């Protein structure tokens, strides 16, 4: 297991090729790694996320609970992606979301205060922080615009195109929720496309 953990740490640090040895040593000393079982929560609504999570292995679902008590899926997080409510995380305010493990997961974590310390100490890490923020903004904007400018079938086809690696790992109910449609509507779309 120790060898596997080292591999996860090294692959995470490898995402930042421009960091010098001092920066690598700084961040590596504050990284922690945690294992989660299926149905465990990385965090829950109302909590302040103190660490950003990076998924080494596993699949998580981000959702909120609406006024009718329904769980509305807003995204999935799989390997090599960040599990975070980034806007709440960078402001250190309570999140409105739940992030739940759909599979047993291994997650590397880096504390908020050490990220901020890294930004003030090292110019390169500040650049990576900006790139992560830009990525999160792009993902969120794409989601909003998909509801504004695309119909359910187009949203489904877009999801398949960009998520081939997880399409067989998620339930139809969770996917329908993400797409903003009823499960039956998604089943109709899938069977219509299968006939083409």
């Amino acid at each position: 297991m120790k060898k596997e953990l080292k591999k996860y740490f090294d692959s995470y640090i490898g995402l930042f090729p421009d960091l010098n040895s001092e920066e690598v040593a700084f961040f590596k000393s504050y990284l922690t790694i945690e294992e989660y079982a299926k149905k465990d929560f990385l965090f829950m609504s109302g909590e302040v996320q103190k660490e950003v999570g990076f998924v080494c292995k596993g699949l998580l679902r981000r959702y909120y609970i609406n006024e009718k008590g329904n769980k509305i899926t807003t995204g999935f997080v799989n390997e090599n992606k960040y599990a975070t409510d980034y806007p709440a995380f960078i402001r250190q305010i309570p999140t409105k979301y739940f992030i739940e493990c759909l599979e047993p997961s291994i997650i590397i974590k880096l504390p908020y205060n050490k990220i901020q310390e890294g930004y003030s100490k090292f110019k390169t890490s500040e650049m990576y922080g900006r790139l992560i923020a830009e990525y999160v903004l792009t993902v969120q904007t794409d989601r909003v615009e998909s509801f504004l400018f695309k119909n359910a079938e187009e949203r489904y086809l877009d999801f398949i195109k960009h998520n081939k690696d997880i399409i067989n790992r998620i339930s139809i109910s969770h996917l329908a929720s993400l797409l903003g449609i009823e499960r039956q509507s998604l089943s109709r779309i899938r069977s219509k496309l299968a006939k083409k």
Side-chain angles (χ1 to χ4, degrees):
M1 186 63 180
K2 234 178 186 177
K3 200 174 179 183
E4 196 174 71
L5 295 183
K6 185 183 182 306
K7 182 186 83 180
Y8 289 135
F9 276 130
D10 291 345
S11 64
Y12 178 71
I13 290 295
L15 294 172
F16 309 102
D18 298 329
L19 295 181
N20 64 37
S21 56
E22 186 189 354
E23 291 167 307
V24 167
F26 173 82
F27 287 112
K28 224 172 180 177
S29 66
Y30 296 108
L31 291 174
T32 57
I33 193 160
E34 280 188 51
E35 292 186 66
Y36 290 82
K38 184 178 178 176
K39 296 191 176 179
D40 280 354
F41 287 90
L42 181 62
F43 58 78
M44 301 173 83
S45 177
E47 294 179 0
V48 176
Q49 188 187 2
K50 297 293 183 190
E51 301 155 311
V52 71
F54 180 81
V55 182
C56 297
K57 183 179 175 185
L59 178 65
L60 300 90
R61 171 173 76 125
R62 184 173 107 151
Y63 68 87
Y64 68 94
I65 298 175
N66 69 10
E67 67 286 347
K68 293 177 182 170
N70 299 320
K71 295 176 181 177
I72 308 298
T73 302
T74 62
F76 301 99
V77 188
N78 61 313
E79 292 84 1
N80 301 315
K81 292 186 181 144
Y82 288 94
T84 180
D85 172 9
Y86 200 68
F89 175 70
I90 57 174
R91 290 179 286 172
Q92 285 293 278
I93 59 172
T95 181
K96 295 179 176 72
Y97 297 95
F98 296 81
I99 292 196
E100 179 186 21
C101 296
L102 298 177
E103 299 173 354
S105 301
I106 295 174
I107 298 173
I108 286 179
K109 296 168 147 188
L110 184 60
Y112 170 83
N113 60 336
K114 294 304 169 188
I115 292 171
Q116 296 305 316
E117 192 180 326
Y119 289 168
S120 60
K121 278 185 173 182
F122 311 111
K123 203 75 187 152
T124 310
S125 64
E126 197 174 37
M127 176 194 74
Y128 281 120
R130 193 194 77 232
L131 292 173
I132 292 166
E134 287 171 1
Y135 168 76
V136 170
L137 176 64
T138 304
V139 168
Q140 290 181 342
T141 303
D142 287 349
R143 177 164 165 75
V144 169
E145 289 188 350
S146 76
F147 281 97
L148 294 174
F149 304 116
K150 293 178 180 172
N151 63 35
E153 185 177 314
E154 290 168 331
R155 290 197 297 276
Y156 173 67
L157 289 169
D158 258 8
F159 183 84
I160 290 175
K161 182 181 171 186
H162 295 108
N163 296 279
K164 288 184 175 75
D165 51 347
I166 65 167
I167 192 68
N168 294 320
R169 295 163 65 188
I170 57 177
S171 73
I172 292 179
S173 299
H174 290 162
L175 180 54
S177 174
L178 177 79
L179 299 172
I181 57 177
E182 294 296 321
R183 184 188 162 124
Q184 298 87 330
S185 302
L186 179 54
S187 294
R188 278 195 297 273
I189 290 169
R190 283 160 61 112
S191 63
K192 176 188 159 191
L193 291 169
K195 288 171 189 166
K196 282 186 177 178

